[in-house]
Amino acid sequence: MANQQAEIYNLEQLNAIARDLRLDILDMTTRAGSGHPSSSFSAVEILTAIYFGGILNFRPDDPWWPGRDRFIMSKGHAAPLLYAVLARAGYFDRELLWKLRQVDSPVQGHPIQGMLPGVEATTGSLGQGLSLGLGHVLGGRINQLPYRVFVLLGDGECEAGQVWEAAMAAAHFKAHHLTAILDYNKYQETGPISREMALEPLVQKWESFGWWVLEVDGHDISQLMGALDKIKDTNDKPGIIIAHTIKGKGVSFVEQDFTFHGRALNPEQAAKAREEISWQ
Ligand SMILES: Cc1ncc(C[n+]2csc(CCOP(=O)(O)OP(=O)(O)O)c2C)c(N)n1
Ligand SMILES: [Mg+2]
């Protein structure tokens, strides 16, 4: 059965959705007084393309439908983005977003499977999502369900060894239903990746692990959709889209400032940010 997402959006509408998601992330984190706004802003267009560009096959009113495609937010600290997307997709009431990080709220600082419909995996301890995604693909193979699995990785996350263990295993098992998207914003928590622990040459690394590799501008929704579509044809290899992004994208004074990694904007900063985002 086709994607239950009834509406098909054009590029202009998708860019408007991306802008609205940024505003939600801003409001959620500023109201909570904590969270990861810059990590969330970085991947807004990636999730917009996957969820609203007709890539992911999902049913918000039947979230555990066995045939659904899976999206796993491996960089779990970008939970505000995931929650904003799931609310927008119709999995739950948008009012829940304002309970981010409150005690007993289902919208915790990191996603917890079973607490909210649409959350496929409990993440936040970095490095685990690709292994989980591979497990879903292999399970689908056993159960003869040809769903696809998409996993969003951070670049700092790729400094974790488990990512490469999963990469090696996915190639070995010819897991061509597995697509990783790397949010390559060049920063992790404490500074630039090139200084903390360099990843380059990244394309060659993934290729040498047996993956199909595409590179895109991670803020260009049409490039992302083109790559997400093309990567379905890998035949016998898993695929990765290396999406070049800007950490904090959309708010000038947050962009590339890693001190905003785990820090919400204060109300004055948020008012300025709202103004900037609203014009995009
Ligand atoms: C296993 C593990 N180690 C350390 C952390 C703490 N931590 C949270 S986010 C982060 C940086 C992640 O950087 P990146 O993957 O590049 O994500 P970005 O925020 O840049 O999108 C770190 C080290 C963690 N969550 N899990
Ligand atoms: Mg990063």
Side-chain angles (χ1 to χ4, degrees):
M1 188 177 160
N3 193 339
Q4 203 191 31
Q5 186 71 33
E7 275 181 88
I8 300 193
Y9 301 104
N10 63 32
L11 199 53
E12 196 183 330
Q13 290 168 319
L14 290 169
N15 280 310
I17 291 174
R19 180 200 58 216
D20 292 347
L21 292 172
R22 276 201 177 86
L23 290 172
D24 282 349
I25 292 162
L26 178 69
D27 288 348
M28 290 164 79
T29 50
T30 295
R31 285 192 202 200
S34 65
H36 296 81
S38 64
S39 308
S40 297
F41 289 160
S42 177
V44 162
E45 283 78 13
I46 297 172
L47 264 74
T48 300
I50 291 174
Y51 275 88
F52 304 112
I55 302 291
L56 199 75
N57 199 6
F58 62 97
R59 297 180 184 170
D61 62 2
D62 187 7
W64 300 111
W65 165 50
R68 72 194 183 283
D69 289 341
R70 276 79 164 152
F71 172 79
I72 294 175
M73 177 65 102
S74 191
K75 43 167 268 185
H77 56 289
L81 166 60
L82 179 64
Y83 299 150
V85 166
L86 295 177
R88 166 92 206 200
Y91 280 96
F92 51 82
D93 191 335
R94 191 161 168 274
E95 287 303 306
L96 254 191
L97 297 182
W98 321 129
K99 298 208 160 118
L100 181 71
R101 290 180 163 244
Q102 288 180 14
V103 175
D104 292 336
S105 144
V107 288
Q108 283 302 308
H110 296 78
I112 302 175
Q113 191 210 29
M115 268 187 122
L116 258 190
V119 173
E120 292 284 354
T122 298
T123 51
S125 181
L126 294 167
Q128 301 177 355
L130 197 59
S131 306
L132 287 167
L134 174 60
H136 273 285
V137 168
L138 298 180
R141 197 177 279 175
I142 290 166
N143 293 323
Q144 299 185 333
L145 290 170
Y147 55 75
R148 301 192 61 82
V149 182
F150 299 86
V151 179
L152 184 71
L153 296 171
D155 46 3
E157 182 177 20
C158 290
E159 293 170 342
Q162 188 179 345
V163 171
W164 300 99
E165 185 181 346
M168 195 159 44
H172 173 80
F173 291 110
K174 301 189 188 331
H176 60 101
H177 281 189
L178 181 64
T179 297
I181 305 96
L182 177 59
D183 182 354
Y184 196 11
N185 59 30
K186 324 293 184 295
Y187 285 88
Q188 51 120 305
E189 185 176 15
T190 45
I193 303 285
S194 57
R195 188 188 71 196
E196 301 293 308
M197 187 156 75
L199 291 171
E200 292 290 349
L202 202 48
V203 171
Q204 289 91 327
K205 277 198 179 82
W206 284 98
E207 280 176 351
S208 72
F209 271 72
W211 285 57
W212 235 58
V213 184
L214 295 175
E215 267 184 297
V216 297
D217 173 343
H219 299 302
D220 182 325
I221 292 176
S222 66
Q223 277 192 35
L224 281 161
M225 286 186 21
L228 286 160
D229 204 41
K230 199 166 163 193
I231 213 141
K232 287 180 180 164
D233 302 325
T234 51
N235 289 326
D236 61 353
K237 288 180 178 191
I240 181 162
I241 297 169
I242 296 183
H244 293 275
T245 53
I246 295 171
K247 191 152 175 166
K249 172 74 178 174
V251 180
S252 58
F253 57 93
V254 176
E255 288 186 2
Q256 326 254 37
D257 179 350
F258 66 83
T259 70
F260 270 106
H261 172 82
R263 180 157 65 96
L265 282 71
N266 66 33
E268 298 87 75
Q269 291 167 328
K272 261 201 237 168
R274 168 165 279 281
E275 174 84 14
E276 284 191 21
I277 297 169
S278 299
W279 284 102
Q280 287 157 19

